[in-house]
Amino acid sequence: MSFLVISEDRELAFQILAKARELADVKGSEVVALVTDGAPQDYINQGADKALSVKGLGSYAVAPYRAVVLKASDEVAPEYILMGATKRGKELAPRIAAALGVGCMNECYSMEHEDGKLVVKKLTYGGSTIATEYSSSVPTVITISPRSFEKLEAAERVGEVIELEVEIPEPDVKVIEVREKPKSSSDVENADIIISAGRGFKAKEDLKILDELAEILGAAVGCTRPISADLGWMDFWVGISGKKVKPSLYITCGISGQIQHVAGIRDSKIIVSINNDESAGIHKVSDYSIVGDIYEVVPALVKALKERA
Ligand SMILES: Cc1cc2nc3c(=O)[nH]c(=O)nc-3n(C[C@H](O)[C@H](O)[C@H](O)COP(=O)(O)OP(=O)(O)OC[C@H]3O[C@@H](n4cnc5c(N)ncnc54)[C@H](O)[C@@H]3O)c2cc1C
């Protein structure tokens, strides 16, 4: 049961490598990383037996990446092609599966051996149900959601680095301009503490009360989809269709706890919620609940934390 691991997102590639390593060790099989960032030893240190290093790929475009992944698959003949479920990974994975005429399972968060099969789990129906799947095709393409697995502690490991010779086709799209993403959205994905705003907030200016709390706690600020997609007060949201997060502490402020939001925060270690409706669903998924008005509770928390400091 060999694995070929690919993601343009290094951290996600390392997370997938850790799980592939664990699964491969059970069967005594091999883990190969496809490396496009010129640092193959890092991937070996994170669990790969071999690193196929590709040079000259440049910035992401479907045609070159598709050609490289297909060539790597040809070389390695893996049983599983594991890709990051990033926007790019999800664009590429079905194209790879279609080119190979094999199965593709998307946005999986769990992968285990069961009765001789590799069984994956993923959320369906907006996060309200879990689908358990396996595919009998060889290879099978699987995309893995960010933060589904913990990466290994990097250790000096011995592995083989192979230069992958591949004719890289011209990109099928022309990049006219590259704009930096606002920093905040990546902050929330990596933050250890997150405070999130929901429709309990009446006006955009009111979100400022969260900034002070965020500064004291060293937290990033997130929100629900209506705050971002409907009201346009922030440029991203947390949840099944937004950013999935895994902080030590997630504080919800004026959030009802709809399944689509909860599906993106369920891996948080501790959830604290402030909502003035005692019957709001968010209280059921919270470790600590404050039934109260955010406009009173948040300033009171800030005051108390300042006094303690
Ligand atoms: C396909 C699909 C995908 C979706 N994906 C996502 C997603 O990824 N993320 C996401 O967040 N949503 C998503 N949604 C939307 C989701 O269904 C909910 O509509 C949304 O999460 C609700 O946001 P909310 O909790 O801010 O607002 P509401 O549901 O309106 O809740 C507001 C809460 O604030 C409380 N409140 C009001 N005033 C105060 C106050 N002064 N003090 C304290 N509490 C107060 C109320 O009691 C209420 O519980 C998706 C929906 C669909 C259909």
Side-chain angles (χ1 to χ4, degrees):
M1 187 177 284
S2 55
F3 297 90
L4 175 63
V5 175
I6 305 139
S7 181
E8 81 289 353
D9 176 333
R10 249 171 90 87
E11 280 302 302
L12 180 50
F14 293 167
Q15 292 160 19
I16 301 171
L17 275 175
K19 187 64 189 180
R21 179 75 272 146
E22 179 197 315
L23 294 167
D25 284 346
V26 175
K27 301 278 178 187
S29 55
E30 190 178 61
V31 178
V32 183
L34 178 61
V35 179
T36 58
D37 65 6
Q41 186 60 40
D42 291 354
Y43 292 74
I44 288 168
N45 292 347
Q46 290 285 341
D49 299 303
K50 287 183 188 161
L52 289 184
S53 185
V54 191
K55 297 213 171 95
L57 246 181
S59 57
Y60 175 83
V62 171
Y65 271 76
R66 180 179 173 280
V68 166
V69 175
L70 288 174
K71 175 76 177 169
S73 169
D74 224 30
E75 294 279 317
V76 178
E79 277 166 271
Y80 295 96
I81 301 177
L82 307 180
M83 304 178 70
T86 58
K87 278 197 181 110
R88 289 167 177 179
K90 286 188 283 183
E91 183 183 38
L92 200 54
R95 287 170 165 83
I96 300 297
L100 297 171
V102 299
C104 184
M105 303 190 288
N106 259 318
E107 301 204 271
C108 305
Y109 68 85
S110 156
M111 221 174 15
E112 297 297 339
H113 294 300
E114 259 179 63
D115 301 329
K117 303 179 192 95
L118 188 69
V119 175
V120 300
K121 285 191 167 60
K122 62 190 206 183
L123 297 173
T124 53
Y125 297 118
S128 58
T129 56
I130 293 167
T132 304
E133 297 180 350
Y134 72 90
S135 162
S136 48
S137 72
V138 180
T140 288
V141 181
I142 304 174
T143 67
I144 309 288
S145 297
R147 286 171 299 286
S148 298
F149 309 116
E150 296 280 339
K151 71 174 180 179
L152 298 173
E153 288 287 325
E156 282 298 316
R157 295 181 76 250
V158 180
E160 193 181 348
V161 177
I162 303 161
E163 297 292 333
L164 185 70
E165 297 297 334
V166 50
E167 202 170 306
I168 298 173
E170 280 300 305
D172 41 0
V173 291
K174 189 172 163 200
V175 179
I176 297 167
E177 188 190 347
V178 177
R179 284 192 208 155
E180 281 261 320
K181 243 183 162 180
K183 243 187 151 273
S184 49
S185 71
S186 53
D187 283 355
V188 89
E189 282 187 296
N190 299 316
D192 193 44
I193 303 177
I194 299 169
I195 307 169
S196 255
R199 270 207 306 226
F201 279 89
K202 305 288 172 271
K204 185 179 179 185
E205 305 76 69
D206 299 349
L207 295 176
K208 282 192 200 124
I209 64 169
L210 296 186
D211 291 341
E212 204 175 354
L213 185 57
E215 202 183 317
I216 294 170
L217 294 175
V221 178
C223 68
T224 57
R225 187 160 101 157
I227 295 289
S228 171
D230 302 344
L231 296 164
W233 293 351
M234 291 180 77
D235 56 12
F236 66 94
W237 63 88
V238 173
I240 187 103
S241 60
K243 306 280 174 196
K244 295 194 193 80
V245 297
K246 204 175 183 176
S248 302
L249 175 62
Y250 189 83
I251 305 176
T252 80
C253 300
I255 291 177
S256 59
Q258 295 291 314
I259 184 68
Q260 293 88 357
H261 188 77
V262 171
I265 67 168
R266 54 171 33 126
D267 289 334
S268 306
K269 274 207 190 94
I270 295 175
I271 300 176
V272 177
S273 291
I274 309 165
N275 191 307
N276 60 5
D277 177 1
E278 202 180 342
S279 64
I282 194 72
H283 295 308
K284 293 197 184 77
V285 296
S286 300
D287 300 282
Y288 299 93
S289 285
I290 302 172
V291 179
D293 188 327
I294 42 174
Y295 289 92
E296 291 167 13
V297 176
V298 173
L301 271 176
V302 168
K303 188 165 173 277
L305 286 166
K306 274 186 175 166
E307 279 168 12
R308 248 182 62 172

